[in-house]
Amino acid sequence: MNNERTVWGTGLTTIAADGTALDAWYLHVGTGEAPASDLDELSGYVGADERRAVTIDTIQLQIDLDAAPTSTADAYLRLHALSHLLVRPNDVNLEGIFGHLPNVAWTTAGPMHPADAARLQPQLRRHSIQVQSLDKFPRLTDYVQPEGVRIGDAARVRLGAHLSPGTTVMHEGFVNFNAGTLGAVMVEGRISQGVVVGANSDIGGGASIMGTLSGGGTVRVSIGERTLLGANAGLGIALGDDCIVEAGLYLTAGTKVVLADSPTTADGGKRIVKAAELSGHNGLLFVRNSVSGAVEARQRQGVGVTLNEALHA
C-alpha cells in the first residue's frame, strides 16, 4: 500500500439494533501508516444508547484511497479525509460510495435507523430529541470543524466538503461532498458534487454549479481563481481565472455563444461557438446582449474580483 495514498482513522461507530452501521466519526485522522493507537481515550463513550436503540463502539481503520470503498466505516473515512483537507476533491476513489452509506435519521442526539426513529417517536419526544433530516450524508460540522471557515447554516454543508481556510459559506450557500474550495472563497450559491472553486472567487447568491451527478457523471466543472459567478447564474462548463458570468445567465456546455471580439464574418456577423469550446479559458466575460438576447463572450483584462480581506481573514 502506497503510504502517500493511505489514510487512517480512529474513533467511534454507531450500530443500529439490526446490526446496520449507521456512521463512523474519526477523532484522529492522518496519512501514511497508522500509529499505535490507544482506544482507551474513547472507552467512556462506548455502550448502548437505549433512547436511539443504538450501540456505540470504537473503530480503527486504514484504507487505500485508490481502492473503492468497502464498508460504511471506509466511506466515512474518505469523507473525513476530504473535510480534513488531507485530499482534494476528485482525488479519492468514491466508486460505489452510495451503496455503503445507509439512509439515516439524523437526530439532535445522533444517528438512528429510520425505522427505529419512527417506532420510538414517543420516546424521542419525551427526551426532546428531534429528527432533523433523513439522508445518507450528515452535516459537516457534526463530524469536522474546518479551521478558519465560516458556515452560516450547517445543514447546507455535507460531510465530505473540502473547505479551505478563509472560506465563507453564507446561509443560502450549499457545498456537497467531494466538492469545495482551494482558498478563501465567498459561497452564496450552490457548489455541487465534484466541483472545485479556486482561491478568491465568489459564487453569487442563488448561483448554481452543475456537478458530476447532474449528467453522466463524467463532466468536471471547475472555477479558477478570482472568478465571479453572478447572482442567480448557472454554470455547466469550467471557468478559468479572472472570469465573470453576469447575474442571471445560465451557461451550459451547449449554449451558443457569440465571440464579441472576433473578426466580422462575411455576412457581417461574429463567430458563434458552443460554450464548451470556451471551457477553462481565462479572462472571459459572459453576458447576455440586452437588445438581441444572444449570449456573448468578451475578453477582459485585469483581475476578475477582489474579496473583502477582513471578511475572509
Side-chain angles (χ1 to χ4, degrees):
M1 188 179 294
N2 183 346
N3 282 353
E4 295 181 358
R5 301 292 296 163
T6 301
V7 169
W8 57 268
T10 57
L12 299 170
T13 181
T14 308
I15 310 297
D18 67 355
T20 301
L22 298 175
D23 81 335
W25 168 68
Y26 294 98
L27 174 62
H28 302 298
V29 181
T31 57
E33 290 295 325
S37 176
D38 184 2
L39 295 175
D40 290 342
E41 64 176 314
L42 295 170
S43 61
Y45 304 99
V46 170
D49 184 344
E50 296 180 356
R51 300 173 305 163
R52 294 185 287 139
V54 301
T55 301
I56 301 171
D57 202 356
T58 56
I59 187 170
Q60 182 174 7
L61 186 65
Q62 181 171 302
I63 62 171
D64 179 358
L65 294 175
D66 293 321
T70 60
S71 66
T72 299
D74 183 330
Y76 267 81
L77 185 49
R78 292 166 195 269
L79 298 177
H80 276 71
L82 283 161
S83 293
H84 279 290
L85 311 186
L86 299 180
V87 60
R88 288 187 174 188
N90 305 316
D91 195 31
V92 55
N93 189 339
L94 299 177
E95 182 179 355
I97 191 171
F98 289 103
H100 296 293
L101 295 173
N103 203 35
V104 173
W106 300 104
T107 80
T108 50
M112 291 185 66
H113 194 291
D116 291 332
R119 176 175 60 85
L120 298 173
Q121 190 166 11
Q123 178 174 308
L124 298 180
R125 292 175 65 88
R126 185 172 71 248
H127 289 287
S128 299
I129 297 174
Q130 299 177 342
V131 177
Q132 297 178 315
S133 67
L134 294 170
D135 196 7
K136 288 178 174 286
F137 291 83
R139 301 184 302 185
L140 166 69
T141 55
D142 288 339
Y143 291 77
V144 179
Q145 288 76 50
E147 183 179 356
V149 169
R150 296 171 56 206
I151 300 175
D153 185 350
R156 298 182 64 83
V157 182
R158 281 173 151 182
L159 178 63
H162 181 287
L163 301 179
S164 295
T167 295
T168 295
V169 184
M170 298 297 285
H171 292 76
E172 294 304 315
F174 173 82
V175 186
N176 209 341
F177 77 101
N178 192 40
T181 63
L182 302 181
V185 172
M186 170 59 78
V187 183
E188 296 181 272
R190 178 183 179 86
I191 301 179
S192 299
Q193 195 276 145
V195 175
V196 177
V197 180
N200 301 306
S201 289
D202 189 331
I203 311 303
S208 180
I209 309 171
M210 295 174 62
T212 56
L213 299 179
S214 301
T218 58
V219 177
R220 298 289 188 193
V221 178
S222 61
I223 291 181
E225 299 183 357
R226 302 173 303 278
T227 287
L228 170 64
L229 185 60
N232 296 315
L235 187 67
I237 66 170
L239 294 178
D241 299 337
D242 303 306
C243 291
I244 295 178
V245 178
E246 77 165 7
L249 176 61
Y250 208 112
L251 196 65
T252 67
T255 301
K256 297 296 179 64
V257 180
V258 177
L259 302 183
D261 300 324
S262 65
T264 302
T265 60
D267 60 3
K270 297 287 186 177
R271 184 184 171 207
I272 299 175
V273 300
K274 289 185 177 181
E277 295 184 38
L278 304 175
S279 185
H281 289 209
N282 298 328
L284 291 179
L285 169 64
F286 292 92
V287 298
R288 187 177 293 279
N289 188 303
S290 60
V291 176
S292 68
V295 177
E296 297 181 350
R298 303 170 185 169
Q299 196 69 44
R300 58 183 310 279
Q301 303 296 325
V303 174
V305 294
T306 302
L307 299 181
N308 184 324
E309 292 185 5
L311 183 65
H312 296 272

